[in-house]
Amino acid sequence: MPTYTAPTKDMQFVLHDVLKVTEAKIPGYEDLEPDFTSAILEEAGKLTSEVLAPLNAVGDKEGCRLENGVVYTPTGFKAAFDQVREGGWTGLDMPEQYGGQGMPYVMGTAVGEMFSAANQAFTMYQGLTHGAASAILAHGTDAQKDTYLPKMTSCEWTGTMNLTEPHCGTDLGLMRTKAAPQDDGSYKITGQKIFISSGEHDMADNIIHLVLAKIEGGPEGIKGVSLFIVPKFIVNEDGSLGARNGVSVGSIEEKMGIHGNSTCVMNYDDATGYLLGTEHKGMRAMFTMMNEARLGVGMQGLAQADVAYQNALAYAHDRLQGRAVTGSEHPDKPADPLIVHPDIRRSLMDQKSFAEGARAFILWGATMIDAAHRSEDKDADGLVSLLTPVIKGFLTDVGYDMTVKAQQVYGGHGYIEEWGMSQFTRDARIAMIYEGANGVQALDLVGRKLAQDGGKHVMAFFDLVKSFCKDNADLNEEYARDFIEPLKAASKDLQAAGMYFMQNGMKNPNNALAGSNDFMHMFGHVCLGLMWAMMGKASTEALANGTSDATFHETKLATGRYYMARQLPATALHLTRIQSGADTVMALDAANF
Amino acid sequence: MPTYTAPTKDMQFVLHDVLKVTEAKIPGYEDLEPDFTSAILEEAGKLTSEVLAPLNAVGDKEGCRLENGVVYTPTGFKAAFDQVREGGWTGLDMPEQYGGQGMPYVMGTAVGEMFSAANQAFTMYQGLTHGAASAILAHGTDAQKDTYLPKMTSCEWTGTMNLTEPHCGTDLGLMRTKAAPQDDGSYKITGQKIFISSGEHDMADNIIHLVLAKIEGGPEGIKGVSLFIVPKFIVNEDGSLGARNGVSVGSIEEKMGIHGNSTCVMNYDDATGYLLGTEHKGMRAMFTMMNEARLGVGMQGLAQADVAYQNALAYAHDRLQGRAVTGSEHPDKPADPLIVHPDIRRSLMDQKSFAEGARAFILWGATMIDAAHRSEDKDADGLVSLLTPVIKGFLTDVGYDMTVKAQQVYGGHGYIEEWGMSQFTRDARIAMIYEGANGVQALDLVGRKLAQDGGKHVMAFFDLVKSFCKDNADLNEEYARDFIEPLKAASKDLQAAGMYFMQNGMKNPNNALAGSNDFMHMFGHVCLGLMWAMMGKASTEALANGTSDATFHETKLATGRYYMARQLPATALHLTRIQSGADTVMALDAANF
């Protein structure tokens, strides 16, 4: 059975040695002293390791069960959810006004990684609630906020997001769910939604559905979509629960993974709904929280990769098989452990260097979201908007690959469900799909974000990399060779790709979009390269300053060197593909495939 | 529900236009006229599409069931197995002497791809039987052959291969299963084997287990391992079935995929076994058939990729979502089909160009096995031995990735079991693991095969590529630019990697083994590049000769150009990684991971 150990030390390193959060001049960050963040991370680590991780396999095996309209969650989920609620974890970064703890988003993100790694299916119940609550916080009336947010902050009530319908996922303009205005200002919602995570379950007193629907007589397509609050039980004026609303679960889906989360078909039949935000501006309201939601999914890619890596590493230490090619390292044992073998090391280093780089990337992204929200820093907002599809698409694509590599370390046992490695890959698979499939992320990046505000944000990113390289080229010779030079080369590749799009995408947009996936991946590599350069700098300085934890920092440098030497050069391949243009991609008539 | 259409036309193209089998001067190949092979392929295609494919999801959902020592296969498997037996498909390439049809292995391979694509779990029952029968054919006494082969050829009896034990998979020297010699020349076998595919089931009258065990008092480690025939029911002298032997199924494993195949823990308790081949030479006997078995697994990688691709393509045609960026292609419909989007095309072209290239590679490999066996062609034997780990490791790694891409085309529906795309990835996952995990394939390639016979075979491969490039550089200008030049560049990368190993692997073997996975992949790309160059040549010539099927050949050329432009350049990245050496891979102390 797999286990999970929260990477608290690594998170502390990123927060304090690399991102230097207390110096960031973001309101609220002044409280993030190392002792304070450590206390939170350790406590969350304990909860996730001891309570959530042991339920991960249970959730996978049992799944959710629908009986007479009620969805039953797996054994132990309810008690664990109580424990999470009692600990105040569900409102960590929600406003104190509504019962939250008002901490920065970066702390919610660090804790969120642990929760997701320990039990992704379980964590989604609170994750969706957080998303729905954030939308109400941003767009609700004061009355709506007062009605829903306290209970959603505490997760006494949970939330859902209802976008997809059987015939439309990405293209929400095709939506059929209708909203009929009523005399009292409410609406009657009718239609079917699918793939609704946490759509129905037995762990909360009420479920607050956010539902996209078209108000009758409104504009065609995506411009006629509005967002509604549709509670499972109508909330009375005094806050007590009233009548059951016209929303019911049609079925629960049998999925490849995240079995512990109930993915529901939801039927709305003249259900009472309340407009959230402005009429016909539902997409805007739904997507205000998009950067956060997508960063959260990118984090899931990292989280599954990390927990899978931890277990692959333990197995590589334990499993005796063969002998080191350079001579037995444990002649006293019947064989050497797997970890002596170079190809096993390669796989472990791929996983380790990805997980640590991705963690820094995610936390860096979260500080930008905090800067955008807490300091109204428009540059940070622009940069994180640019990077959001990279975080989501790249980290979930690669995160999934890493779970596959971790599973592979187990050999045949990796394929047997009892060992738990299959679940990591099956659970990680969804993150490439939901919250905008990764092809859509790549399209968003190349088709929209690159040119946003006249290309200002991508130029800012390149400037940032350039300044970093310039400022740190003299740190020491080895560092310059192992970190700065590879980062410069990769960044140059990325710029060349951007240039190719500019020069060729105008005359034929296919020349840009045929390279969108490659561009997203090369951008991800450059970001992780930058993260490793930043971490390498922090560790180089720590060692120069005579740190008491030299092993940690030397390990960090060695891991970074691996990434720079073995992963970052992928940018050149992506550039080659991009520069081959759209011709070979679009050559065939659709009928001739 | 997914469907399967056998790629008979593409197979005919490879057999006749590319490999020109009837001209190959291999005994038996003179019969392989287009009409003859077409008849077989069409018949097999019908059976696989109509009978086996519809049972694929059934097998996945129901799995196998163990009750009182009996394993029940999924609904419909037994009747389908009868149909397969009656059609003579199980003995297609077995000797006529034992009731087979005596066809070349290449035909068994082509038909095998269809069977695997339609239903991998089902096909494994006959696949394991074929493997066990081949071992008996190669190493059995005449009496053993007469006793077992007729019934195994017809699959009235099925077979298994018993290697793995709980504590040893790759490192079989750690084996504990014992064989105690008896006065009558037989042995008593005692021990436990795990991961035994088709180990017990209800579709055959008898099951012939081939079991590796150590004869008491023999040499230590791998040199003391012998191979035994252990039938489930002892076979009487007259061929009738006698007493039940001391072999029983302990449990069946719950796996990530191939649920329709019973993967058993087998317990041997003083079971009667008969030595197959020579004492203590069990590994050699087991591995005589290794090239075939591994090529067969590589084929599974291709097969799952192809069936997944077929369904992704159909979905991309059907699913309306969004509009083409260059202007709507179906303004009459509410949206354009997915296939208009460049990133969907990229994914489909990745899949198509892989599947067709892999098919040619597999069939080319099969002709070499035929040449080795039927013509005793030692060069062909050496070359296919070199390429076997590439076929197995590269095609299953990439084949798996392709099933993931196909699943991604479905968006959220790809994650729902009902749509069937998840099964393709879950089933394809095993091929990277069994028959030697892919890390072991890479080790075999770099650690053993490269230097075999003084490097003769890899030199022969390079000569072959070189000659091909030289001979066809003048075919026409476009062909030279699109096919020959990229192949030359990729082959040069591969040679440079080999050179790096020669120069650096001697002083430290880790320098070679840290690059083994990259080498296997770059070798795979060069092989597929060669296949595309060969197919491109055939299609170029067909077009020059005024073929009546210009669309087929133009599509083939366009698909090949895609591979050459977008996939083959990966060799440069692999070379970069290899040339970075072992230092970053091996830098960490095991304790510091």
Side-chain angles (χ1 to χ4, degrees):
Chain A
M1 183 85 94
T3 58
Y4 175 64
T5 306
T8 50
K9 187 173 180 180
D10 202 49
M11 287 179 173
Q12 286 283 89
F13 168 72
V14 174
L15 291 175
H16 301 292
D17 296 11
V18 182
L19 300 176
K20 299 185 197 298
V21 287
T22 56
E23 299 167 27
K25 300 204 169 53
I26 299 171
Y29 273 44
E30 63 282 357
D31 296 334
L32 301 182
E33 290 295 339
D35 284 353
F36 176 72
T37 60
S38 170
I40 293 168
L41 297 177
E42 292 298 338
E43 202 57 38
K46 217 174 138 210
L47 178 73
T48 51
S49 301
E50 294 174 8
V51 179
L52 304 190
L55 289 175
N56 196 41
V58 176
D60 187 56
K61 203 171 166 67
E62 289 187 17
C64 294
R65 189 165 43 87
L66 172 64
E67 269 176 30
N68 301 322
V70 181
V71 172
Y72 297 92
T73 51
T75 307
F77 269 41
K78 220 168 162 174
F81 205 50
D82 284 339
Q83 219 172 321
V84 169
R85 281 190 279 238
E86 280 157 22
W89 295 105
T90 61
L92 202 69
D93 59 359
M94 292 298 285
E96 289 171 86
Q97 182 184 357
Y98 302 111
Q101 303 197 36
M103 281 187 213
Y105 179 69
V106 72
M107 289 308 296
T109 301
V111 169
E113 184 201 317
M114 298 180 192
F115 272 68
S116 277
N119 198 326
Q120 179 173 333
F122 176 91
T123 301
M124 288 170 65
Y125 292 99
Q126 69 198 77
L128 271 297
T129 309
H130 190 280
S134 298
I136 294 174
L137 188 63
H139 300 283
T141 62
D142 286 345
Q144 287 173 333
K145 291 185 203 174
D146 291 341
T147 302
Y148 300 106
L149 290 184
K151 298 281 191 184
M152 292 177 81
T153 297
S154 65
C155 270
E156 285 166 90
W157 300 351
T158 61
T160 72
M161 309 288 259
N162 292 241
L163 290 79
T164 308
E165 300 183 7
H167 60 289
C168 70
T170 298
D171 190 352
L172 290 169
L174 303 174
M175 187 174 294
R176 290 182 194 146
T177 298
K178 291 285 174 219
Q182 305 297 303
D183 292 342
D184 66 355
S186 71
Y187 293 78
K188 291 288 184 195
I189 313 289
T190 302
Q192 188 178 63
K193 295 287 181 177
I194 64 170
F195 302 159
I196 308 309
S197 300
S198 321
E200 175 61 41
H201 59 86
D202 57 356
M203 301 200 295
D205 298 334
N206 201 2
I207 300 178
I208 311 305
H209 303 286
L210 296 196
V211 184
L212 285 178
K214 286 184 170 173
I215 297 173
E216 290 168 353
E220 286 293 299
I222 200 71
K223 290 179 180 160
V225 169
S226 306
L227 184 59
F228 298 90
I229 299 174
V230 185
K232 175 177 166 184
F233 291 100
I234 302 289
V235 182
N236 297 324
E237 293 227 350
D238 64 357
S240 64
L241 296 187
R244 177 76 194 242
N245 204 350
V247 46
S248 60
V249 53
S251 61
I252 51 178
E253 304 279 10
E254 287 195 28
K255 310 182 298 293
M256 185 179 179
I258 51 166
H259 296 160
N261 194 272
S262 58
T263 306
C264 300
V265 173
M266 299 302 297
N267 294 320
Y268 294 87
D269 187 11
D270 268 348
T272 298
Y274 311 101
L275 186 68
L276 178 60
T278 314
E279 256 190 7
H280 311 319
K281 305 286 184 201
M283 291 306 293
R284 196 189 292 175
M286 197 59 135
F287 285 134
T288 307
M289 296 298 118
M290 193 173 65
N291 288 346
E292 282 184 44
R294 292 186 168 177
L295 186 137
V297 175
M299 183 192 70
Q300 292 175 348
L302 151 64
Q304 292 304 305
D306 190 52
V307 65
Y309 163 67
Q310 290 186 16
N311 286 281
L313 176 61
Y315 192 79
H317 277 299
D318 285 352
R319 175 82 170 175
L320 307 181
Q321 209 80 177
R323 291 290 183 191
V325 65
T326 48
S328 172
E329 296 189 9
H330 299 270
D332 52 314
K333 293 184 178 167
D336 286 344
L338 286 180
I339 200 168
V340 305
H341 301 301
D343 190 58
I344 294 286
R345 291 233 170 196
R346 171 200 57 83
S347 171
L348 293 173
M349 290 300 292
D350 278 345
Q351 297 169 53
K352 180 177 171 65
S353 64
F354 168 74
E356 294 176 15
R359 180 170 299 125
F361 189 21
I362 290 276
L363 292 175
W364 181 49
T367 64
M368 283 188 262
I369 287 181
D370 277 327
H373 291 174
R374 291 174 171 249
S375 309
E376 295 187 21
D377 178 339
K378 288 216 177 331
D379 291 338
D381 191 47
L383 186 54
V384 78
S385 290
L386 170 73
L387 296 179
T388 292
V390 180
I391 290 173
K392 198 281 183 181
F394 177 70
L395 296 188
T396 61
D397 273 358
V398 183
Y400 176 75
D401 285 347
M402 294 300 156
T403 62
V404 174
K405 284 184 198 223
Q407 184 186 20
Q408 188 73 12
V409 171
Y410 276 67
H413 297 97
Y415 201 64
I416 308 296
E417 292 294 354
E418 186 189 350
W419 288 77
M421 299 304 286
S422 159
Q423 188 187 351
F424 297 135
T425 72
R426 290 184 292 98
D427 286 359
R429 185 68 186 85
I430 188 59
M432 298 161 70
I433 299 173
Y434 62 18
E435 200 55 43
N438 286 356
V440 175
Q441 302 299 328
L443 176 65
D444 178 47
L445 175 66
V446 171
R448 237 165 54 89
K449 298 291 175 63
L450 265 191
Q452 212 165 42
D453 298 327
K456 181 179 157 190
H457 308 301
V458 73
M459 293 313 299
F461 177 81
F462 285 128
D463 284 346
L464 193 156
V465 174
K466 207 171 159 183
S467 304
F468 182 89
C469 290
K470 203 177 148 203
D471 294 348
N472 296 289
D474 299 330
L475 196 61
N476 73 43
E477 213 171 292
E478 206 183 30
Y479 174 80
R481 181 196 65 205
D482 295 344
F483 290 86
I484 297 296
E485 290 309 318
L487 177 58
K488 272 172 145 171
S491 176
K492 213 176 127 195
D493 286 343
L494 186 65
Q495 280 179 278
M499 193 61 76
Y500 177 86
F501 290 158
M502 289 222 294
Q503 289 168 344
N504 299 277
M506 293 294 212
K507 64 180 179 212
N508 182 357
N510 287 337
N511 279 323
L513 298 186
S516 58
N517 178 67
D518 282 292
F519 190 76
M520 181 174 79
H521 276 259
M522 77 192 295
F523 210 147
H525 277 297
V526 173
C527 290
L528 258 57
L530 175 62
M531 294 303 109
W532 273 114
M534 286 164 63
M535 292 193 281
K537 178 190 173 185
S539 284
T540 300
E541 288 175 343
L543 287 165
N545 296 333
T547 171
S548 61
D549 200 356
T551 302
F552 176 85
H553 293 289
E554 277 158 7
T555 300
K556 193 57 80 177
L557 282 166
T559 309
R561 277 187 212 108
Y562 180 89
Y563 192 87
M564 301 315 250
R566 290 246 168 188
Q567 293 296 344
L568 195 55
T571 55
L573 172 59
H574 291 302
L575 178 61
T576 301
R577 287 188 186 143
I578 287 169
Q579 290 178 334
S580 76
D583 289 353
T584 60
V585 178
M586 306 303 287
L588 294 185
D589 278 349
N592 292 338
F593 267 81
Chain B
M1 183 86 94
T3 58
Y4 176 65
T5 307
T8 50
K9 187 174 181 181
D10 202 50
M11 287 179 174
Q12 286 283 87
F13 168 72
V14 174
L15 291 174
H16 302 292
D17 295 11
V18 182
L19 299 175
K20 300 185 196 299
V21 287
T22 56
E23 300 167 24
K25 300 204 170 55
I26 298 170
Y29 273 44
E30 63 282 358
D31 297 335
L32 301 182
E33 291 293 341
D35 284 354
F36 176 72
T37 60
S38 171
I40 292 168
L41 296 177
E42 291 298 337
E43 202 57 39
K46 219 175 138 207
L47 178 73
T48 52
S49 302
E50 295 175 7
V51 179
L52 303 191
L55 290 175
N56 196 40
V58 176
D60 187 56
K61 203 171 166 66
E62 290 188 16
C64 294
R65 188 165 44 87
L66 172 64
E67 269 176 30
N68 302 321
V70 180
V71 173
Y72 297 91
T73 51
T75 308
F77 270 41
K78 219 167 162 174
F81 205 51
D82 284 339
Q83 218 171 322
V84 169
R85 281 189 278 238
E86 280 157 22
W89 295 105
T90 62
L92 202 71
D93 59 359
M94 292 296 286
E96 290 172 85
Q97 182 184 356
Y98 302 112
Q101 303 197 37
M103 279 188 215
Y105 178 69
V106 72
M107 289 309 294
T109 301
V111 169
E113 184 200 317
M114 299 180 191
F115 272 69
S116 278
N119 198 325
Q120 180 173 331
F122 176 91
T123 301
M124 288 170 66
Y125 292 98
Q126 70 199 78
L128 271 296
T129 309
H130 190 280
S134 297
I136 294 173
L137 188 63
H139 300 284
T141 61
D142 286 344
Q144 286 174 334
K145 292 185 203 174
D146 291 340
T147 303
Y148 299 106
L149 290 184
K151 299 281 191 183
M152 293 177 81
T153 297
S154 66
C155 271
E156 286 167 89
W157 300 351
T158 62
T160 72
M161 309 289 257
N162 293 241
L163 290 78
T164 307
E165 299 183 7
H167 60 288
C168 70
T170 298
D171 190 352
L172 290 169
L174 302 174
M175 185 174 295
R176 290 182 193 144
T177 300
K178 292 285 173 217
Q182 305 296 303
D183 291 343
D184 66 354
S186 73
Y187 292 78
K188 291 289 185 195
I189 312 290
T190 301
Q192 189 179 61
K193 296 288 182 177
I194 63 171
F195 303 159
I196 307 309
S197 301
S198 321
E200 175 60 42
H201 60 86
D202 57 354
M203 301 199 296
D205 297 333
N206 201 3
I207 300 178
I208 310 305
H209 304 287
L210 296 197
V211 183
L212 285 178
K214 286 185 171 174
I215 297 173
E216 290 169 353
E220 285 293 299
I222 200 71
K223 290 180 180 160
V225 169
S226 305
L227 185 58
F228 299 90
I229 299 173
V230 184
K232 175 177 166 185
F233 291 100
I234 301 290
V235 182
N236 297 324
E237 294 228 347
D238 65 356
S240 65
L241 296 186
R244 177 76 194 243
N245 204 350
V247 46
S248 60
V249 54
S251 61
I252 52 178
E253 305 279 10
E254 287 195 29
K255 309 181 299 291
M256 183 177 179
I258 51 167
H259 296 160
N261 194 272
S262 58
T263 305
C264 300
V265 174
M266 299 301 297
N267 294 320
Y268 294 86
D269 187 12
D270 268 348
T272 298
Y274 311 102
L275 185 69
L276 178 59
T278 315
E279 256 189 6
H280 311 319
K281 304 286 184 200
M283 292 305 293
R284 196 188 292 175
M286 197 60 135
F287 286 135
T288 307
M289 296 297 117
M290 192 173 65
N291 288 346
E292 282 184 43
R294 293 186 166 177
L295 187 137
V297 175
M299 182 192 71
Q300 292 176 346
L302 151 65
Q304 292 305 305
D306 190 52
V307 66
Y309 163 68
Q310 289 186 18
N311 287 280
L313 176 61
Y315 191 79
H317 277 299
D318 286 352
R319 176 85 170 172
L320 306 181
Q321 209 79 175
R323 291 290 183 192
V325 66
T326 46
S328 172
E329 297 190 8
H330 299 269
D332 52 314
K333 293 186 179 164
D336 286 345
L338 286 181
I339 200 166
V340 304
H341 302 300
D343 190 59
I344 294 285
R345 291 237 172 192
R346 171 200 57 83
S347 172
L348 293 173
M349 290 301 291
D350 278 346
Q351 297 169 54
K352 181 177 171 65
S353 65
F354 168 75
E356 294 176 15
R359 179 170 299 124
F361 189 21
I362 290 276
L363 292 176
W364 182 49
T367 63
M368 282 188 264
I369 287 181
D370 277 327
H373 291 175
R374 292 173 171 249
S375 308
E376 295 187 21
D377 178 339
K378 288 216 176 333
D379 292 337
D381 191 48
L383 186 54
V384 78
S385 292
L386 170 73
L387 295 179
T388 292
V390 180
I391 291 173
K392 198 281 182 181
F394 177 71
L395 295 188
T396 62
D397 274 357
V398 183
Y400 176 75
D401 285 347
M402 294 300 157
T403 63
V404 173
K405 285 183 197 222
Q407 185 185 18
Q408 188 74 12
V409 171
Y410 277 67
H413 297 95
Y415 202 64
I416 307 297
E417 291 295 353
E418 186 190 349
W419 288 76
M421 299 305 285
S422 160
Q423 187 187 353
F424 296 137
T425 72
R426 290 185 290 98
D427 285 0
R429 184 68 185 86
I430 189 58
M432 297 161 71
I433 298 173
Y434 61 18
E435 199 57 41
N438 286 355
V440 176
Q441 302 298 328
L443 177 65
D444 178 45
L445 175 65
V446 172
R448 238 166 54 89
K449 297 291 176 63
L450 266 191
Q452 212 166 42
D453 298 328
K456 181 178 158 191
H457 308 302
V458 73
M459 293 313 300
F461 177 81
F462 286 127
D463 284 347
L464 193 157
V465 174
K466 208 170 158 184
S467 303
F468 182 90
C469 291
K470 203 176 148 204
D471 294 349
N472 296 289
D474 299 330
L475 196 58
N476 72 45
E477 216 171 290
E478 205 183 33
Y479 174 79
R481 180 196 66 204
D482 296 343
F483 290 86
I484 297 296
E485 290 309 318
L487 176 59
K488 270 169 146 173
S491 177
K492 212 177 129 194
D493 286 342
L494 186 66
Q495 279 179 278
M499 193 62 75
Y500 176 86
F501 290 157
M502 288 223 295
Q503 288 168 345
N504 299 276
M506 291 295 211
K507 63 180 179 213
N508 181 358
N510 287 338
N511 279 323
L513 298 186
S516 58
N517 178 68
D518 282 291
F519 191 77
M520 180 174 79
H521 276 258
M522 77 193 295
F523 211 147
H525 278 298
V526 173
C527 290
L528 258 57
L530 175 63
M531 293 303 108
W532 273 114
M534 286 164 63
M535 292 192 283
K537 177 190 174 184
S539 283
T540 300
E541 288 174 344
L543 288 164
N545 295 333
T547 170
S548 61
D549 199 357
T551 302
F552 176 86
H553 292 289
E554 277 158 7
T555 299
K556 193 58 80 176
L557 282 166
T559 309
R561 277 187 211 108
Y562 180 89
Y563 193 88
M564 301 316 250
R566 290 245 167 188
Q567 292 295 345
L568 195 55
T571 55
L573 172 59
H574 292 302
L575 178 60
T576 301
R577 287 187 186 144
I578 286 168
Q579 289 177 334
S580 76
D583 290 352
T584 60
V585 178
M586 306 303 287
L588 295 185
D589 278 349
N592 292 339
F593 266 82

